[in-house]
Amino acid sequence: MDDKIKQLKDIIDESENIVFFGGAGVSTASGIPDFRSADGVYNQKLNRNLNPEELVSHSYFQHYPEDFFDFYKEKLVYPDAEPNNCHLGLAKLEEEGKLKAIVTQNIDGLHQKAGSKNVYELHGSTERNYCTNCGKTFDADYVLNADGVPICDVCGGVVRPDVVLYEEALDPNVINSAVNAIQNADTLIVGGTSLVVYPAAGLIDFFRGKNLVLINKGETIADNKADLVINDDIAKVIGEATGIE
Ligand code: NAD
């Protein structure tokens, strides 16, 4: 086992209240592209003169719903994706009572699919959808199978994903729970996030515990604050450190 992964394993062994804070890099090994890596959505030819942040903004959804859903269905929803060893390892740590919460910026629902229970989804989930008129809820397939803009089968309103679009506020209850979990953690493992999307990225400043671990393929602005930095594939690192692989 790599020296740094062994150090992570030792930290996990000695910790009693671990919180994991993650982003899109957690799911790249499941075949879901992140936004900012070389092969991420930002660097793909989108055939549109807009960047992904504009394409998944509230104003774009309101003014160009057809184009919004084209992009959303093509680039943001992956119904066949399966959890990788990062998701599975974290679920195992929760089952063992060591990990108390996952705070995620991801919208893919893969932590729950892996078996994790206490997951705070800062940016919502593509698994949940609701009618903007009457509030009726729908699953991901309803939106994916709709021809163009999904329409409510009860009232004819537009059905939208329960995800936080750019220009929209985060759910204060989810933020409070996430802050609370991070403040009480003895170890915070941060992984697969570029830490540039605020306010989510600012949550790690609430950590007051003993071990701050950063796992990312590249450098992040928080590297200098961390007790352990591992620049490697997070599915491999968490998988090995938790005995999944
Ligand atoms: P990001 O794209 O800005 O950054 C991803 C980071 O993960 C990068 O720093 C990259 O180096 C790293 N990374 C990629 N693959 C990795 C791997 N296998 N192991 C370790 N590190 C890896 O993502 P972000 O910081 O989460 O911010 C993007 C926003 O886009 C988020 O708000 C998120 O909601 C959304 N998003 C979500 C998904 C998803 O749900 N899976 C996918 C794309 C974007």
Side-chain angles (χ1 to χ4, degrees), residues 1 12 19 40 55 59 66 80-81 91 137 148 151 164-166 173 179 186 202-203 214 234 237-239 241:
M1 184 184 286
I12 290 172
V19 169
L55 288 164
S59 42
E66 281 172 13
D80 300 328
T137 55
I151 297 297
V164 180
L165 302 176
Y166 286 94
N173 292 326
V179 166
D186 56 12
L203 290 186
L214 269 172
I234 194 162
V237 173
I238 296 287

Side-chain angles (χ1 to χ4, degrees), residues 21-180:
F21 175 77
V26 166
S27 295
T28 52
S30 296
I32 303 179
D34 64 10
F35 272 4
R36 294 176 181 79
S37 290
D39 52 358
V41 175
Y42 269 52
N43 294 306
Q44 295 173 11
K45 261 206 146 2
L46 294 173
N47 279 339
R48 297 163 174 92
N49 291 327
L50 297 165
N51 67 43
E53 283 179 12
E54 289 169 301
L55 288 164
V56 289
S57 68
H58 180 80
S59 42
Y60 201 70
F61 163 70
Q62 275 208 311
H63 296 303
Y64 307 99
E66 281 172 13
D67 216 22
F68 169 87
F69 278 104
D70 273 0
F71 176 77
Y72 175 79
K73 291 181 203 177
E74 186 189 329
K75 300 286 184 195
L76 294 182
V77 191
Y78 294 83
D80 300 328
E82 290 296 332
N84 61 53
N85 283 348
C86 176
H87 302 104
L88 296 171
L90 295 173
K92 182 177 176 212
L93 290 182
E94 184 182 18
E95 175 86 30
E96 292 168 357
K98 280 198 168 285
L99 183 137
K100 304 300 180 194
I102 290 174
V103 179
T104 182
Q105 299 165 84
N106 291 349
I107 55 175
D108 54 34
L110 287 183
H111 286 297
Q112 290 90 335
K113 211 167 175 181
S116 290
K117 304 273 183 294
N118 202 24
V119 183
Y120 300 118
E121 296 173 309
L122 297 170
H123 296 158
S125 174
T126 60
E127 298 287 305
R128 299 184 300 271
N129 301 273
Y130 63 93
C131 172
T132 51
N133 186 46
C134 73
K136 183 178 173 186
T137 55
F138 297 88
D139 62 16
D141 281 345
Y142 188 86
V143 170
L144 278 171
N145 296 334
D147 196 10
V149 179
I151 297 297
C152 176
D153 57 3
V154 172
C155 74
V158 172
V159 174
R160 65 161 283 181
D162 189 6
V163 301
V164 180
L165 302 176
Y166 286 94
E167 304 162 353
E168 292 179 341
L170 273 58
D171 180 337
N173 292 326
V174 178
I175 300 185
N176 285 344
S177 301
V179 166
N180 197 33

Side-chain angles (χ1 to χ4, degrees), residues 195-215:
L195 292 174
V196 300
V197 178
Y198 279 80
L203 290 186
I204 68 167
D205 294 336
F206 289 96
F207 180 60
R208 302 275 176 271
K210 192 166 168 223
N211 306 295
L212 176 62
V213 180
L214 269 172
I215 308 168

